[in-house]
Amino acid sequence: MGKRLTSRYVLVVHEVTTTSVKIWVGALLPSLAKPHNWRLVVRRVNSETDRENETGEIIKTITHLKEQGDIWERPFDRLDKRFFKVEIIDGLEPGQDYIIEFESRVELEWELLEKSFLTTLPQALPTTDDRPFTVGLGSCFYTKHDGGRAGQAFEALYRHHQYRPDIKFLTGDQVYLDIGLGWYPLSEDDCQDRIADDYAESWDLMRSILRRGGTWMLADDHEYWNNYPFLEGINPYLATLQHDEAFKKRWEAAAKRGVQIVQQIQTLRIFNIGNDISFCIADLRSERTKNGFMSDASFQQLLSWIKQLTCPGVLVIPQPLIAGKGDANDKNLPDWPQYNDLIVALQSGGHDIVVLAGDVHFGRVSQVIIGGSGNKLIEVIASPISNLSELNGYAASKPDTSNRMFPVAPVPGVPTNSIDYLGTVTTENKWWD
């Protein structure tokens, strides 16, 4: 499902449940007109013919008319030419395909501006071999030279019945907001305008991804600046921020609006599929300080999820767990004492854990026994979503399989075990490329 339209309005399928979906609708480009009369039409896909024709039975219509008042909100509060609305659509059926259409009334006719596609969560994992519950994973979307190719690839995947992701996780660096060089520092308005433009570009190119399937997003450093919240090391992208504290605060506040309002990111989100599997999506970046990669309160919630698992768990985070310590220019999770507590909790838990992560610009699937527990840790890394080319090709990478034992950095009370690297995907930059 999902032929391309020419509209540049934004329709993002955020989190789904068994009976509801969160839809983000609006415009990030300042040139798009704000519809005064608009609606969301919800269609239930009842057959393969419906799916092929991208249609279905209308089960609900949410209409907003001019005489009822303007309900559009501003994603960036200093900018009046970009707008959005979050709609929670409920009353849906579990494990069901739906199409949601965004329409605007022009004179007396309703015109289609954009459409999205989704599947609600099932009540339990499939028990037949027809089609497994499938999760998509990606991170690190760099816009230059992408030209919509990542979106086209995802569209092709989504059209394939056997491999189509039911839901997906985008684990960070969906935008690259590194400030760069220029006539800075910027005012508060200009910070928001610059960041809104970056979101508009990324969301336009990722459009085919964002409007297909439920999506949980996480922030990593480039949602703010390289190695956020730190300004250490020698990096031309950080120079202005390093020398103007007031500007740094303005930029950070504007970036946080993108994280919280556009990407709808929260620190911790948990959902289960029946009694079969539990998902925890944890933002380990936005609350990061010198003392930890999460606040104490959030971290305790994460540990509680691990301790209370009654089934296998899926932990979705922005950076890998199977890693050594970083440096001043690029911090890794083992650089914080909380990492040790997290690994100890995983060892003490009663179930296997799958970790889904990104950040490192290569693909890798690893498996290891956690300490002396017998619990398996299976880590899947998917990065980047787009090709890193030209000057940014230095960030492409060969998968790191040099670490043979986990934990890589010693964790008191946790014995080390050998890591089994099950698969790798390189983005290594060759000179002839």
Side-chain angles (χ1 to χ4, degrees):
M1 295 191 296
K3 295 177 182 176
R4 288 184 291 275
L5 299 174
T6 57
S7 165
R8 302 190 78 182
Y9 288 93
V10 176
L11 193 60
V12 179
V13 183
H14 280 284
E15 298 112 59
V16 297
T17 71
T18 53
T19 60
S20 67
V21 59
K22 179 195 286 189
I23 295 290
W24 198 103
V25 59
L28 289 169
L29 288 169
S31 58
L32 290 179
K34 184 187 294 183
H36 295 297
N37 301 293
W38 60 278
R39 69 184 186 184
L40 295 177
V41 179
V42 183
R43 295 180 180 270
R44 184 173 58 210
V45 178
N46 293 322
S47 66
E48 192 59 39
T49 301
D50 281 353
R51 185 174 288 104
E52 290 174 359
N53 294 328
E54 295 186 0
T55 188
E57 173 191 2
I58 296 178
I59 62 164
K60 182 176 289 192
T61 302
I62 301 170
T63 304
H64 298 284
L65 300 177
K66 182 177 182 181
E67 53 265 30
Q68 298 170 336
D70 184 5
I71 62 143
W72 292 113
E73 301 175 52
R74 298 180 184 181
F76 297 91
D77 60 349
R78 309 281 296 196
L79 312 177
D80 61 2
K81 291 186 178 181
R82 308 168 203 251
F83 53 91
F84 83 103
K85 182 73 170 70
V86 170
E87 293 279 3
I88 305 296
I89 301 173
D90 55 17
L92 307 181
E93 299 173 13
Q96 174 66 48
D97 292 337
Y98 292 93
I99 296 173
I100 298 179
E101 299 170 336
F102 173 41
E103 297 181 342
S104 175
R105 193 176 72 188
V106 179
E107 296 180 348
L108 298 178
E109 299 292 327
W110 287 99
E111 294 186 1
L112 178 65
L113 298 179
E114 181 65 295
K115 62 168 60 178
S116 61
F117 311 87
L118 65 103
T119 305
T120 50
L121 295 179
Q123 292 179 316
L125 290 183
T127 57
T128 68
D129 295 332
D130 174 51
R131 185 179 181 278
F133 182 78
T134 305
V135 173
L137 173 66
S139 69
C140 307
F141 181 74
Y142 188 73
T143 58
K144 191 166 185 177
H145 300 307
D146 173 76
R149 292 178 181 86
Q152 291 169 17
F154 187 84
E155 179 181 331
L157 183 69
Y158 199 82
R159 287 175 178 273
H160 196 293
H161 173 71
Q162 190 67 19
Y163 303 123
R164 173 169 59 89
D166 295 279
I167 60 173
K168 61 183 177 294
F169 302 107
L170 302 180
T171 63
D173 296 344
Q174 281 75 247
V175 292
Y176 278 73
L177 298 186
D178 305 274
I179 186 63
L181 303 174
W183 292 102
Y184 304 114
L186 302 174
S187 67
E188 186 175 356
D189 294 29
D190 288 339
C191 285
Q192 290 195 5
D193 206 32
R194 160 70 189 272
I195 288 172
D197 283 345
D198 285 342
Y199 268 96
E201 181 183 24
S202 290
W203 260 227
D204 190 41
L205 292 171
M206 291 180 70
R207 176 169 166 258
S208 288
I209 299 173
L210 298 176
R211 67 190 185 103
R212 290 181 170 86
T215 312
W216 286 256
M217 300 186 200
L218 285 174
D220 203 15
D221 56 340
H222 294 286
E223 261 80 8
Y224 299 94
W225 61 74
N226 187 71
N227 205 23
Y228 176 86
F230 307 107
L231 289 170
E232 301 172 1
I234 300 173
N235 188 325
Y237 288 108
L238 304 179
T240 310
L241 295 173
Q242 287 171 324
H243 291 94
D244 193 309
E245 181 65 23
F247 171 45
K248 179 178 80 73
K249 290 181 178 179
R250 292 195 298 272
W251 184 265
E252 182 176 12
K256 199 170 288 288
R257 292 193 68 88
V259 166
Q260 295 176 344
I261 296 175
V262 180
Q263 300 204 52
Q264 293 286 300
I265 293 170
Q266 301 171 44
T267 305
L268 209 70
R269 288 165 285 178
I270 295 170
F271 68 90
N272 300 330
I273 297 180
N275 298 317
D276 300 323
I277 196 165
S278 181
F279 291 83
C280 177
I281 303 94
D283 180 357
L284 306 186
R285 180 64 69 168
S286 297
E287 294 183 346
R288 190 173 291 195
T289 66
K290 292 184 181 297
N291 298 320
F293 47 68
M294 301 180 85
S295 68
D296 289 340
S298 298
F299 187 61
Q300 290 306 314
Q301 291 177 7
L302 173 56
L303 296 184
S304 294
W305 172 75
I306 295 170
K307 293 174 184 176
Q308 294 171 14
L309 280 174
T310 58
C311 59
V314 179
L315 176 59
V316 187
I317 53 178
Q319 293 180 283
L321 274 188
I322 300 178
K325 292 190 175 183
D327 54 35
N329 293 300
D330 195 8
K331 302 286 188 183
N332 291 335
L333 296 184
D335 289 307
W336 281 268
Q338 285 179 337
Y339 178 84
N340 290 3
D341 294 336
L342 178 58
I343 301 304
V344 169
L346 292 174
Q347 177 182 241
S348 301
H351 292 277
D352 296 341
I353 292 284
V354 174
V355 169
L356 305 180
D359 178 57
V360 290
H361 297 174
F362 57 72
R364 191 182 72 191
V365 181
S366 313
Q367 180 174 294
V368 66
I369 299 298
I370 307 172
S373 66
N375 296 334
K376 282 189 296 186
L377 167 63
I378 302 168
E379 184 176 75
V380 182
I381 300 171
S383 173
I385 295 175
S386 60
N387 183 44
L388 297 169
S389 55
E390 289 192 340
L391 292 177
N392 293 281
Y394 75 89
S397 181
K398 183 178 179 180
D400 183 5
T401 58
S402 61
N403 298 310
R404 306 313 304 174
M405 306 297 288
F406 176 82
V408 177
V411 175
V414 180
T416 59
N417 291 307
S418 59
I419 304 168
D420 186 7
Y421 293 107
L422 304 178
T424 59
V425 178
T426 185
T427 60
E428 187 180 9
N429 191 26
K430 306 291 187 180
W431 66 267
W432 55 83
D433 292 336

